[in-house]
Amino acid sequence: MPGTGACTVVVGCQWGDEGKGKIVDVLSERIDVVARYQGGANAGHTVHVGAKEFILHQIPSGILHPGTRCLLGNGVVLDVEQFFEEYDALVSRGIDVAGRVGVSQRAHLLMPYHRVLDRVSEAGADEKIGTTGRGIGPAYEDKAGRRGIRVADLSEPDRFRRRVDDGLARAVARLEAAGAGDQVPELREAVERSVDLGERLAALATETGIEITQALGGGGRVLLEGAQGTALDLDHGTYPFVTSSNTTAAGAAIGVGIGPTRITDVVGVVKAYTTRVGNGPLPTGFDIEMDERMRRLGGEFGATTGRPRRCGWFDAVLARYAARVNGLTALAVTKLDVLDTLPEIGIGLEYCTPEGGCTRDFPADTYMLGRVEPRIETVPGWNADTTGCRTLADLPSNARAYLDRIQELTETPIAWVSVGTRRDQIIAVA
């Protein structure tokens, strides 16, 4: 294989919200190109730089490191209006983005009618998914139905306009059939705002596959960034309570336009406990009182929607499954400090069914998953502040033992441990 570059995938190993943004930000200090490979504005990556907080939805968090090139791959569904709101907000806060952001010509556009259809569909569904309402599902539906609009369509304004008008007409018909025709006038205005941004977006168009391949061929370092988490993968997650794209590491190569053999490492990000936003089972979930306590300790509210996250103990069944389907080479454990005040900590070892059978394998049947009871192993807490720790040796012995147990159960070495929100609050494990 020509070139000596390294290509690392960073992937969430739970139900999203694992803290991938911080890990990507920390790793990006030594990275030349960062690329998002799937999802859209339904993601929310929070990064703290000194006293400043940045919440990024579509632009990779590598943008906070001067000189890093940031790409949005063909696997992304790009919300044009939200993208430029985010882009301009970075500029207003002093971040130099000129020449540093590129969008794949093959990426599909998420139009305002996708957002409206998403909300109307969820409101009328008997079985609600718990969607963010950001239009992700309808945008991927159009992509799979071969009626989507791509960045490449911007090269011919007449063709672009025609495809937008066709998409809007289909959406209006569906909204009127659903009794939501009152939203159409406002929707038409929103579509025009997005269309007006087309020329500006066209100026950022690129071939992400070529850029990444050239970077690797020249010995560059590339990081591919996923959104959401393994359990939300369209194929391997808790279907139908999933997102509409492949969040796992295998989707990274497809989502940016390179071959899978170019990937050299896969870093899986896990919280030191488990959270989930939206509907669907959470096997190691807490009772109401403990759920509220952990949510308060960890500030567990969605960065995109503000919705409260459900919380539970670390789920080793899910983490081990994520290690297998992603082919993890290393783990990054986040929010260890949130557990600092707990006298005892639980780890979900296996799932047991009402019929009496137990398994350490993550089941394909989501509805069966909703009936399982986890077998919890309890380990002693450390009752000490870890936020000032900068080496593994600095951590209390019980905290190190807890990490050792996670490493043992997932069969994956831990490479990083986060003990706070700031950039410097991370331990690199030698």
Side-chain angles (χ1 to χ4, degrees):
M1 181 68 68
T4 57
C7 183
T8 299
V9 178
V10 174
V11 61
C13 291
Q14 295 158 320
W15 275 279
D17 306 309
E18 300 95 348
K20 296 181 294 297
K22 178 180 180 179
I23 300 303
V24 170
D25 174 66
V26 169
L27 296 182
S28 294
E29 186 177 5
R30 300 176 297 278
I31 294 293
D32 301 299
V33 179
V34 179
R36 266 282 299 278
Y37 63 83
Q38 47 76 225
N42 56 335
H45 291 170
T46 303
V47 179
H48 291 84
V49 182
K52 296 180 179 180
E53 179 183 79
F54 294 85
I55 299 178
L56 301 166
H57 297 280
Q58 295 185 100
I59 297 175
S61 47
I63 198 69
L64 301 176
H65 287 276
T68 302
R69 175 74 167 160
C70 294
L71 304 175
L72 285 85
N74 54 274
V76 170
V77 285
L78 184 75
D79 185 323
V80 186
E81 204 170 3
Q82 193 280 333
F83 170 78
F84 280 112
E85 287 176 4
E86 187 173 319
Y87 186 99
D88 293 339
L90 287 168
V91 173
S92 70
R93 298 183 67 179
I95 305 299
D96 180 14
V97 299
R100 297 180 53 215
V101 179
V103 180
S104 171
Q105 298 178 63
R106 303 169 191 270
H108 280 247
L109 302 186
L110 188 153
M111 300 299 289
Y113 51 76
H114 291 128
R115 293 195 297 267
V116 177
L117 288 171
D118 197 2
R119 293 193 294 268
V120 170
S121 177
E122 178 77 350
D126 293 329
E127 183 177 56
K128 299 187 187 303
I129 301 300
T131 172
T132 61
R134 300 303 170 109
I136 305 301
Y140 278 115
E141 285 179 30
D142 275 357
K143 177 178 179 177
R146 294 164 293 183
R147 53 183 177 267
I149 304 168
R150 302 197 303 169
V151 172
D153 291 319
L154 294 169
S155 63
E156 292 189 14
D158 289 344
R159 181 180 73 205
F160 174 60
R161 181 77 247 189
R162 184 173 63 253
R163 295 186 73 83
V164 170
D165 289 342
D166 288 347
L168 179 58
R170 285 191 298 269
V172 168
R174 287 178 61 183
L175 291 172
E176 290 176 342
D182 59 316
Q183 300 187 47
V184 171
E186 183 178 344
L187 175 59
R188 292 187 188 278
E189 294 177 8
V191 168
E192 291 308 311
R193 290 196 300 271
S194 292
V195 169
D196 289 344
L197 292 167
E199 186 175 345
R200 191 178 176 192
L201 180 62
L204 302 178
T206 186
E207 273 283 6
T208 55
I210 292 176
E211 280 206 44
I212 292 170
T213 300
Q214 289 177 342
L216 293 172
R221 295 154 299 181
V222 174
L223 190 152
L224 308 182
E225 173 189 44
Q228 292 86 44
T230 297
L232 294 178
D233 184 274
L234 182 60
D235 288 285
H236 301 290
T238 51
Y239 190 91
F241 305 103
V242 293
T243 194
S244 299
S245 61
N246 289 116
T247 63
T248 43
I254 294 173
V256 299
I258 61 171
T261 55
R262 303 313 300 260
I263 295 171
T264 50
D265 299 284
V266 182
V267 177
V269 186
V270 293
K271 272 180 184 162
Y273 49 102
T274 305
T275 62
R276 177 169 197 167
V277 84
N279 295 349
L282 181 66
T284 61
F286 295 133
D287 59 32
I288 293 175
E289 182 179 349
M290 186 61 184
D291 192 45
E292 291 178 352
R293 180 183 180 187
M294 186 63 76
R295 189 178 300 121
R296 184 174 63 254
L297 286 172
E300 295 297 350
F301 296 89
T304 298
T305 63
R307 291 183 296 177
R309 299 174 184 138
R310 290 178 286 152
C311 303
W313 295 125
F314 184 84
D315 188 334
V317 178
L318 172 58
R320 187 166 49 249
Y321 172 71
R324 176 173 65 80
V325 297
N326 289 295
L328 296 185
T329 57
L331 274 179
V333 179
T334 64
K335 288 198 164 185
L336 183 70
D337 55 297
V338 175
L339 305 180
D340 283 353
T341 60
L342 300 184
E344 293 183 328
I345 297 165
I347 302 173
L349 295 183
E350 58 185 6
Y351 300 153
C352 298
T353 65
E355 294 75 27
C358 294
T359 181
R360 292 195 171 201
D361 295 322
F362 196 74
D365 187 342
T366 299
Y367 299 94
M368 188 272 276
L369 184 63
R371 297 188 295 113
V372 302
E373 287 290 335
R375 184 167 74 85
I376 302 293
E377 174 182 276
T378 302
V379 299
W382 43 91
N383 195 31
D385 184 0
T386 61
T387 58
C389 297
R390 295 296 178 270
T391 69
L392 207 59
D394 292 339
L395 289 172
S397 59
N398 283 350
R400 294 198 304 273
Y402 181 62
L403 293 172
D404 287 344
R405 187 63 171 138
I406 288 176
Q407 193 168 246
E408 177 186 13
L409 290 168
T410 59
E411 302 173 358
T412 307
I414 294 173
W416 294 275
V417 179
S418 175
V419 291
T421 59
R422 300 194 313 270
R423 275 179 172 172
D424 66 329
Q425 289 179 301
I426 193 158
I427 296 168
V429 180

